[in-house]
Amino acid sequence: MNANPVNLKLNKIFTIAECIVAGIFTLIFLTLFILTGACLLRSCICMAWLLFMLYHLIFKENKQSYVICLAEILIISPIVLFLSLWAPIMINTHFAFRYPFQKSYIEIFSGDDTFDYFPDKLPDDVKNYRLDHFPSIMQGDGYTTVSFEASDDVLEQYTELYSAGAVYTCKVRELSGGSVMINENGANNTNKYADVHMSESFRKKCSDNAKVYIMYNSETSHRSSYTSAVVIDSEHNLIEFSKIG
């Protein structure tokens, strides 16, 4: 018994429509992945959806029911939209061209103050760029770090800029378990701590004599994790910008 031509036509139309919807989501998440390094899992989910529909369109002679196609669009689309509202679980990337896009994307979920003490744009010809981002989850504190190698001139400019505005200055070797006791007058006569997060890869290369410029430390907590810092290692021409919280 031959299939109803009307149903076949509807099947093809709705299969094509689902391919278009899946393709739009795939394009969005792939673009975000290329520009920021985030959304890889979401890209894979949408790409699997798209490939599945293309398979039905090309090889199954439009036997995918238009009712099923419509149901899949109505079920999968809200799920994908819901996924898009999640903060990026983790971003690790080594491509410096992504930096301005990463800033904009992370600020959407983590707040405009995340990059307050980070550079607006990267210096020319930086090497070994790395961004690590982990969002705050429940009661846990997230972090964002950006590190790279730069020329002597860049290090001098950053040293002059950040030393002038630092709340407290110390050396990496003075950090005990990633923390240092501080106050805004520069003397260690309080019980207030600042936590400084350094990425593992940066710490392995960083000198113990590298300078740590603490740019911001929350005043609302006795022991606060909300700290912004800049670590400058003139010995190895390394810089890392760090934000906890």
Side-chain angles (χ1 to χ4, degrees):
M1 184 175 178
N2 294 330
N4 188 324
V6 175
N7 284 343
L8 285 177
K9 186 174 182 180
L10 284 174
N11 291 349
K12 183 172 184 179
I13 290 172
F14 274 84
T15 303
I16 293 172
E18 189 171 351
C19 285
I20 292 172
V21 173
I24 290 172
F25 280 117
T26 302
L27 180 61
I28 290 172
F29 288 127
L30 273 178
T31 301
L32 283 173
F33 173 70
I34 292 169
L35 295 180
T36 69
C39 300
L40 177 59
L41 178 60
R42 300 168 210 187
S43 299
C44 292
I45 292 172
C46 292
M47 189 174 293
W49 180 22
L50 174 61
L51 292 175
F52 177 76
M53 294 314 305
L54 286 174
Y55 170 77
H56 271 280
L57 182 64
I58 297 172
F59 298 107
K60 288 293 186 177
E61 298 179 357
N62 306 317
K63 292 181 180 179
Q64 177 84 330
S65 167
Y66 67 88
V67 176
I68 294 176
C69 286
L70 182 59
E72 287 174 348
I73 292 173
L74 293 177
I75 294 171
I76 298 176
S77 295
I79 293 174
V80 176
L81 284 172
F82 179 71
L83 288 174
S84 68
L85 299 177
W86 286 4
I89 300 302
M90 182 177 289
I91 300 177
N92 305 109
T93 181
H94 298 275
F95 298 101
F97 80 88
R98 286 172 164 169
Y99 180 66
F101 304 105
Q102 290 167 331
K103 281 184 60 181
S104 299
Y105 186 63
I106 291 172
E107 284 175 346
I108 292 173
F109 298 97
S110 300
D112 295 339
D113 61 344
T114 303
F115 291 89
D116 272 356
Y117 299 97
F118 288 56
D120 291 330
K121 63 178 183 178
L122 297 180
D124 295 332
D125 302 323
V126 300
K127 298 178 181 178
N128 297 321
Y129 169 83
R130 181 181 176 92
L131 178 143
D132 291 287
H133 172 73
F134 189 82
S136 298
I137 300 176
M138 302 297 286
Q139 297 299 317
D141 294 320
Y143 61 81
T144 303
T145 62
V146 170
S147 59
F148 51 84
E149 293 181 29
S151 66
D152 291 335
D153 290 342
V154 170
L155 262 68
E156 290 176 6
Q157 292 172 12
Y158 282 156
T159 299
E160 182 179 355
L161 174 64
Y162 290 104
S163 62
V167 171
Y168 187 76
T169 302
C170 64
K171 293 185 178 181
V172 167
R173 66 168 178 263
E174 297 175 54
L175 297 175
S176 177
S179 298
V180 63
M181 192 181 296
I182 70 166
N183 72 7
E184 292 189 1
N185 296 321
N188 282 346
N189 58 5
T190 73
N191 289 324
K192 186 175 181 181
Y193 286 81
D195 296 329
V196 179
H197 179 86
M198 286 189 287
S199 62
E200 185 177 347
S201 59
F202 179 84
R203 183 64 187 93
K204 287 179 180 179
K205 297 183 289 185
C206 182
S207 167
D208 287 340
N209 292 318
K211 288 289 186 69
V212 180
Y213 300 102
I214 296 171
M215 307 307 300
Y216 171 78
N217 181 245
S218 174
E219 299 177 357
T220 60
S221 173
H222 179 68
R223 181 179 178 84
S224 176
S225 296
Y226 294 86
T227 304
S228 293
V230 182
V231 183
I232 299 180
D233 181 0
S234 299
E235 182 179 337
H236 300 106
N237 284 68
L238 298 172
I239 302 173
E240 180 161 83
F241 299 86
S242 173
K243 166 72 183 296
I244 298 179

